[in-house]
Amino acid sequence: ITKQAWWREVAADLRQRFPACRLIMENRAIGGYSTPRLIRTMEADILPFHPDLIFFHDYGPEDEYERIIRWIRSHTTADVLLQSDHVVWLPGQEDPDDGRRRSYDFQEKHSFEWLPELARKYELGLV
C-alpha cells in the first residue's frame, strides 16, 4: 500500500508545510511483504537510516505486527505513525461466497479496535 506513488504527494505536502526542516524521506516499503517477511528485513531496512519518523502499515498476523512495533520501539528513537487498513468492500455490495464480508469484519476490528489499542500501548500516532 505504501509502496504506491501517493507517498510522494505526502512527502511534497510535508516539505511544503515544514520548509525550515531538512526532510530526508525514503520509502522502504516492500510490495507484497506481510509481517512474517518484514520481520526478516526490518533491521536492515530501518537501522542504517536512523529515522526520526516511521509511517507503518502492513498486513499479517497481529502478534507479528506488534513484534515489529516492539522492535522499532526498543531499537530506535523514531516516532511511529500507523496507517489503518483501506476499505476493499462495503456491506451492500455483492459478495457471492461471503469472503469479503469476513475480510471486512476483520479489517473493521483491526482498524477500529486493535490498531487504536496498539497505538495507545506504544504511544504511536494513527491515521
Side-chain angles (χ1 to χ4, degrees):
I1 308 265
T2 54
K3 188 64 177 174
Q4 297 174 17
W6 66 262
W7 84 273
R8 294 183 192 282
E9 293 176 30
V10 172
D13 179 67
L14 290 171
R15 285 189 175 102
Q16 180 182 0
R17 288 195 287 147
F18 303 100
C21 294
R22 185 175 159 261
L23 300 175
I24 302 168
M25 294 179 250
E26 289 191 22
N27 189 337
R28 300 278 174 113
I30 304 171
Y33 269 40
S34 61
T35 50
R37 288 188 173 151
L38 286 179
I39 285 173
R40 297 179 186 173
T41 66
M42 66 187 174
E43 187 172 334
D45 291 338
I46 296 170
L47 287 182
F49 191 56
H50 304 288
D52 295 314
L53 174 63
I54 296 172
F55 288 72
F56 186 75
H57 174 270
D58 196 45
Y59 295 110
E62 290 175 344
D63 60 330
E64 292 180 352
Y65 193 110
E66 184 170 359
R67 181 176 162 197
I68 291 172
I69 297 303
R70 235 183 0 262
W71 184 90
I72 290 171
R73 278 298 199 220
S74 65
H75 290 83
T76 77
T77 59
D79 286 324
V80 179
L81 183 63
L82 300 176
Q83 176 185 332
S84 64
D85 293 350
H86 68 287
V87 177
V88 296
W89 176 84
L90 292 172
Q93 295 177 331
E94 185 178 339
D95 187 13
D97 63 0
D98 205 36
R100 290 184 179 178
R101 161 60 85 179
R102 287 189 302 276
S103 178
Y104 172 83
D105 290 344
F106 171 81
Q107 288 176 330
E108 286 291 292
K109 183 178 181 199
H110 181 80
S111 291
F112 295 108
E113 295 176 29
W114 188 80
L115 278 175
E117 179 56 36
L118 187 70
R120 280 189 292 280
K121 181 177 180 178
Y122 292 98
E123 298 181 2
L124 314 172
L126 175 63
V127 293

